[in-house]
Amino acid sequence: MSQLCIIVGLSFVIWPLFIQLSHGFNEDSSRFKQYTHIKTKTPASVQAQAVKDLITRLIGPVHASRFLIVVNGSFGPAGTDLDTFQYVTDVAVGKVLITGTTGVAAALGFSHFLKYVCYSHVSWSGNQITIPDPFPVVKTPVTITSPNRFRYYQNVCSVSYSFAWWNWTRWEQEIDWMAMNGINLPLAFNGQEAIWQRVYLKMNLTQQELDKHFGGPAFLAWSRMGNIRGWAGPLSASWHANQLALQHQIVARMQELGMTPVFPAFAGHVPDGITRVYPNATVTRLGSWAHFNQNYSNTYLLEPSDPLFRQIGRAFIREYIAEFGTNHIYNADTFNEMTPRSSDPSYLSNASKAVYKGMLAGDPDAIWLMQGWLFLDTGFWKPPQVKALLHGVPLGKMIVLDLYAENTPVWKTTDSFYGQPFIWCMLHNFGGNIGLFGELLSVATGPISAAKHPGSTMIGTGITPEGIEQNYVMYELMNEMGWRSEPIELAPWLEAYSHRRYGAMNEFTLQAWKLLGRSVYNATYGRHHTHSVIVNKPSLTLEFTEWYKPEDVFQAWDALIRAADSCGMVEPFRYDLADVTRQSLQLLAISAYNNLVGGYINKSLPQVKAAATKLNEIFLDMDAVLTSNQYFLLGNWLNGAKSLATNAQESRLYEFNARNQITLWGPDANIEDYANKMWGGMVRNYYNPRWELFVSYLINAVSQGKPFASQKFRASLFDQETKWTFDNNSFPDNPVGDTLDIAKMLHSKYRPMTY
């Protein structure tokens, strides 16, 4: 049965024509005054041109010529430094005039026009852009002011889990996306190892000592935080040159659009060679991290009391400013997932004081932006310890990212971080996992509650995923919260979201998103990490308990299949169909797994073989639908790594980095499967062989009437996994097959229904 993709009756969510600064917390602009020096130095004309160029890249020169862009820093409410945009049709010239306080604000105005006038959609998983003909006329000005000073983006881990192999083409797309979502405070971390190398070589450390210090390209995030050192390195001269050049492009574009890029700073972690050059320096060893052996862990931390701390902090900041300039905000995380050597409040206060003084020595206007992830370890970080670390820095000179606020808001247990300003963040994703998940209700209400709370020090919102390019609905909602001063009513918002994403709606797409909204995106408890038969290490003791009713996902699959003929040419729809098909197969694998284990328990060889056959089918079928979509390909990740190499040796090292991170994550399966990916090519060639090996041991045990040889299996599996990380077989980065045809075939196979 074919169904036209027609609009059905619903009330679309249109943002009010003007969002007043209300609710007390917005009216009090004093919390923002300490950041008056944190503003763009880019001329308004340059910002306006950057937005014009962005629009042209996205919709082409013909449609772009219908917009006039003006950047005027005085356009917003007086005395607040809060971004404002307005758009209205200039009838004199027949064009839409977009005015913004910054380039970011103007870009968001353009995005708002696309979303709420043209019902278009721009996302990581494809675009649906429709410019109506005749061109829309906006008679009444749409004017919106953000209630927040900052909209932050990135986790220090996302630079490794998602951005590791990006070139300028991909970065340009992402920066455009940032601007169109109102992000004005993005992390800019590329190329910092080249600067660190200059600093340390000037201090007479050797290249060999630095090669042992820096991690490999896919593990730099954890090398930078002092969790590990040297693993999967060394970094080559060509890597440093490439990343330094790329950082110049990234920073320049961010600044052209009026953003404030956040730069790195010295957190105290040093190469072990520092003890050779400075034998009297006070250096301690941190504990191991993730069971890494001492060759790669137990990193060196310079004591905050050592005069060398300030010297290194100053040297790095100055070297960095000489290369890139500055907007005065710096990130440093000394104890991220690392336990300090002492819980004495005075020690912790001195530690944070030393980090900040190191920044000030290089930049007297420095502001420290710190991830608040460490405070989730409540075993160590009790109120006296938290307060001591935070109060080692003058109030207002530190900004804390409440990194996982949608699930575990630290601001609630620390009285708004004991006076330090904070940014309410949605973390959402761990390791770049693929799997439908989200806490929509928390995101729709949490930032507003935090901002309205008496005595709140909240100054912004942010998204801090460990990995991106998944569950786009969560990021669309969170980015909108940075510009809203009231909670969102989810049902109509989801309806409007699906309209924009697919270009129109019918009863089936509406039904699909209603089901997804009340199931996978209604998670309300606990830290989420993808847990499924597909990506789990094979075992007889796995348990799978979902927070939602699987039937809701199956019915959403039904609905999207029914909508496929009418919406199937829209790229985001094809992505969602592949993703919901994958999620459905993931759920179906649970019963096959339970039957497999049941066969072993019952000592029934026919049951084991039948369940193994069914499980194998699900793996191969899932791989087929994933391989048909360009956004789910292992080849993108591996070929991106190899594309940065300048010789065969680098190519092998980079590919090993890419393979190891998404599988064993370390030399000894240290964080195995943490960064698991349900990607086409990965499911068939890595995950399925693991289960085939498991089944072979299972069949052998049942046939011989012996217990499962778990130790031998684990040893064989580790050998198999290790071999895969060193392999160099290629995978396509172009899709194979048609997503619609494959999804329909699989739906007919697993969930036949009458149309």
Side-chain angles (χ1 to χ4, degrees):
M1 173 181 173
S2 177
Q3 175 76 24
L4 292 176
C5 207
I6 58 175
I7 301 174
V8 299
L10 68 136
S11 174
F12 290 114
V13 178
I14 305 294
W15 285 5
L17 294 185
F18 186 78
I19 293 184
Q20 297 287 346
L21 298 183
S22 59
H23 303 301
F25 73 94
N26 287 326
E27 294 170 354
D28 178 14
S29 61
S30 61
R31 72 179 65 181
F32 306 127
K33 289 180 179 178
Q34 56 203 331
Y35 305 115
T36 54
H37 69 294
I38 307 298
K39 60 176 60 178
T40 178
K41 304 182 182 85
T42 305
S45 60
V46 174
Q47 295 182 63
Q49 185 60 52
V51 177
K52 293 176 186 177
D53 294 342
L54 180 161
I55 295 172
T56 302
R57 283 191 294 273
L58 187 67
I59 62 176
V62 174
H63 289 313
S65 67
R66 294 169 169 171
F67 296 89
L68 298 174
I69 306 299
V70 174
V71 172
N72 179 359
S74 301
F75 185 68
T80 64
D81 284 329
L82 298 177
D83 273 335
T84 299
F85 69 79
Q86 180 186 90
Y87 61 84
V88 64
T89 297
D90 185 333
V91 294
V93 294
K95 298 183 179 184
V96 174
L97 171 64
I98 302 175
T99 305
T101 47
T102 62
V104 167
L108 182 68
F110 166 68
S111 176
H112 191 278
F113 175 85
L114 280 186
K115 289 167 64 172
Y116 290 99
V117 176
C118 302
Y119 297 102
S120 294
H121 182 77
V122 177
S123 78
W124 294 320
S125 45
N127 300 335
Q128 185 286 118
I129 299 178
T130 302
I131 306 297
D133 187 16
F135 192 68
V137 174
V138 182
K139 296 181 179 180
T140 304
V142 176
T143 308
I144 296 177
T145 294
S146 172
N148 303 295
R149 178 66 172 83
F150 297 115
R151 281 87 54 199
Y152 175 80
Y153 175 46
Q154 291 181 45
N155 185 302
V156 294
C157 297
S158 55
V159 299
S160 290
Y161 282 133
S162 290
F163 309 162
W165 317 117
W166 282 7
N167 56 19
W168 171 241
T169 299
R170 182 63 184 87
W171 264 110
E172 184 174 54
Q173 293 172 351
E174 193 72 5
I175 296 171
D176 286 353
W177 175 88
M178 293 181 205
M180 291 179 64
N181 281 281
I183 291 163
N184 64 355
L185 191 66
L187 209 60
F189 260 29
N190 286 62
Q192 63 175 280
E193 284 70 28
I195 306 299
W196 279 117
Q197 183 163 280
R198 290 182 199 169
V199 170
Y200 284 132
L201 289 177
K202 288 179 182 178
M203 295 174 67
N204 294 321
L205 274 77
T206 67
Q207 187 63 54
Q208 291 76 16
E209 288 167 337
L210 297 183
D211 288 345
K212 289 167 53 182
H213 179 65
F214 298 134
F219 299 94
L220 288 176
W222 302 278
S223 174
R224 292 165 179 170
M225 292 185 290
N227 304 130
I228 55 176
R229 59 194 177 103
W231 167 243
L235 298 175
S236 65
S238 66
W239 173 267
H240 289 309
N242 173 281
Q243 293 298 297
L244 203 61
L246 184 59
Q247 177 75 340
H248 272 287
Q249 291 176 294
I250 292 168
V251 170
R253 180 59 54 79
M254 287 177 173
Q255 291 177 335
E256 286 168 8
L257 286 162
M259 297 178 186
T260 299
V262 178
F263 292 151
F266 181 56
H269 312 113
V270 290
D272 60 2
I274 206 81
T275 59
R276 177 187 60 79
V277 180
Y278 298 93
N280 296 323
T282 308
V283 178
T284 59
R285 299 286 297 273
L286 292 168
S288 64
W289 181 81
H291 307 292
F292 271 77
N293 64 56
Q294 289 198 10
N295 291 329
Y296 302 115
S297 189
N298 299 99
T299 55
Y300 291 75
L301 182 69
L302 185 63
E303 279 295 294
S305 59
D306 196 297
L308 191 58
F309 202 110
R310 185 173 182 273
Q311 179 183 331
I312 295 176
R314 178 181 62 234
F316 178 78
I317 293 286
R318 288 183 174 177
E319 190 76 36
Y320 206 94
I321 291 175
E323 186 74 30
F324 297 110
T326 185
N327 288 87
H328 308 299
I329 299 188
Y330 305 92
N331 169 262
D333 294 295
T334 304
F335 301 119
N336 198 73
E337 297 188 0
M338 303 299 293
T339 303
R341 68 168 179 80
S342 171
S343 61
D344 186 339
S346 63
Y347 169 77
L348 298 172
S349 180
N350 287 332
S352 60
K353 190 177 299 182
V355 173
Y356 182 59
K357 285 185 175 180
M359 293 179 188
L360 285 181
D363 179 359
D365 293 322
I367 300 291
W368 179 7
L369 180 116
M370 185 189 75
Q371 293 197 144
W373 178 252
L374 72 168
F375 298 135
L376 270 68
D377 176 12
T378 54
F380 179 91
W381 293 101
K382 301 184 184 305
Q385 286 71 36
V386 175
K387 184 178 291 187
L389 189 77
L390 294 176
H391 284 183
V393 178
L395 293 183
K397 300 302 182 181
M398 171 188 278
I399 300 173
V400 185
L401 299 175
D402 200 352
L403 211 69
Y404 196 23
E406 87 276 17
N407 189 284
T408 312
V410 176
W411 70 266
K412 286 187 176 181
T413 59
T414 59
D415 193 20
S416 287
F417 291 94
Y418 301 115
Q420 290 289 19
F422 75 94
I423 293 176
W424 195 103
C425 298
M426 178 192 79
L427 196 160
H428 178 261
N429 180 271
F430 294 91
N433 295 165
I434 307 297
L436 299 181
F437 169 79
E439 301 178 61
L440 282 172
L441 183 60
S442 176
V443 169
T445 60
I448 309 303
S449 297
K452 290 182 179 181
H453 192 269
S456 175
T457 57
M458 178 178 154
I459 58 170
T461 58
I463 53 174
T464 53
E466 289 191 349
I468 64 167
E469 299 177 317
Q470 38 68 40
N471 289 291
Y472 190 77
V473 66
M474 297 303 305
Y475 300 89
E476 176 103 345
L477 179 65
M478 187 61 232
N479 279 326
E480 283 201 11
M481 295 309 299
W483 291 79
R484 291 181 179 269
S485 56
E486 294 295 337
I488 290 176
E489 187 179 349
L490 285 174
W493 186 89
L494 280 173
E495 291 177 350
Y497 171 82
S498 64
H499 180 197
R500 298 191 301 269
R501 190 161 171 82
Y502 305 148
M505 284 188 299
N506 58 38
E507 60 182 300
F508 301 129
T509 54
L510 281 174
Q511 179 68 6
W513 277 98
K514 179 180 179 181
L515 290 160
L516 294 173
R518 79 184 190 191
S519 59
V520 290
Y521 293 118
N522 191 34
T524 56
Y525 65 92
R527 174 177 171 179
H528 171 74
H529 200 80
T530 296
H531 182 60
S532 78
V533 175
I534 307 300
V535 297
N536 257 90
K537 190 171 184 174
S539 166
L540 286 167
T541 58
L542 299 178
E543 295 182 2
F544 302 97
T545 303
E546 307 299 338
W547 65 91
Y548 58 92
K549 295 179 181 178
E551 184 59 24
D552 281 346
V553 172
F554 294 139
Q555 288 186 18
W557 189 20
D558 298 343
L560 291 180
I561 289 292
R562 289 183 182 274
D565 289 341
S566 53
C567 300
M569 298 306 294
V570 179
E571 195 172 23
F573 177 85
R574 298 172 75 89
Y575 175 94
D576 289 348
L577 180 61
D579 207 10
V580 173
T581 301
R582 178 208 51 74
Q583 188 81 10
S584 298
L585 294 177
Q586 171 184 318
L587 291 169
L588 290 169
I590 296 174
S591 61
Y593 167 77
N594 289 336
N595 288 337
L596 186 69
V597 174
Y600 170 76
I601 293 172
N602 297 332
K603 300 179 181 179
S604 170
L605 194 57
Q607 184 178 346
V608 169
K609 290 183 176 180
T613 298
K614 176 58 68 175
L615 195 58
N616 179 261
E617 285 182 12
I618 292 173
F619 271 91
L620 300 184
D621 287 341
M622 180 184 289
D623 193 83
V625 73
L626 293 172
T627 302
S628 73
N629 192 281
Q630 63 181 340
Y631 299 103
F632 291 104
L633 296 177
L634 170 63
N636 293 335
W637 177 251
L638 297 184
N639 296 340
K642 290 183 284 187
S643 71
L644 296 183
T646 60
N647 55 53
Q649 181 180 0
E650 281 183 353
S651 181
R652 287 192 295 271
L653 177 64
Y654 295 174
E655 183 170 6
F656 169 76
N657 268 257
R659 286 173 176 256
N660 182 272
Q661 189 214 82
I662 60 177
T663 55
L664 295 175
W665 214 121
D668 305 308
N670 302 79
I671 320 178
E672 185 170 17
D673 297 328
Y674 182 87
N676 65 75
K677 303 292 191 299
M678 278 180 262
W679 281 340
M682 188 81 181
V683 172
R684 175 186 288 267
N685 292 278
Y686 183 78
Y687 294 125
N688 192 42
R690 298 203 306 183
W691 282 91
E692 289 178 328
L693 181 66
F694 178 74
V695 167
S696 70
Y697 273 79
L698 211 58
I699 289 176
N700 185 61
V702 174
S703 299
Q704 298 185 20
K706 295 181 178 179
F708 180 75
S710 58
Q711 290 186 347
K712 289 185 178 180
F713 165 69
R714 285 196 294 269
S716 297
L717 181 62
F718 181 72
D719 288 343
Q720 178 176 292
E721 293 169 330
T722 302
K723 181 180 179 181
W724 190 88
T725 65
F726 283 101
D727 208 339
N728 61 357
N729 54 320
S730 61
F731 292 89
D733 50 19
N734 290 308
V736 178
D738 181 80
T739 299
L740 268 62
D741 291 341
I742 294 172
K744 288 179 179 179
M745 180 272 292
L746 295 179
H747 187 270
S748 178
K749 176 179 178 180
Y750 290 102
R751 196 169 170 81
M753 65 183 185
T754 303
Y755 290 88

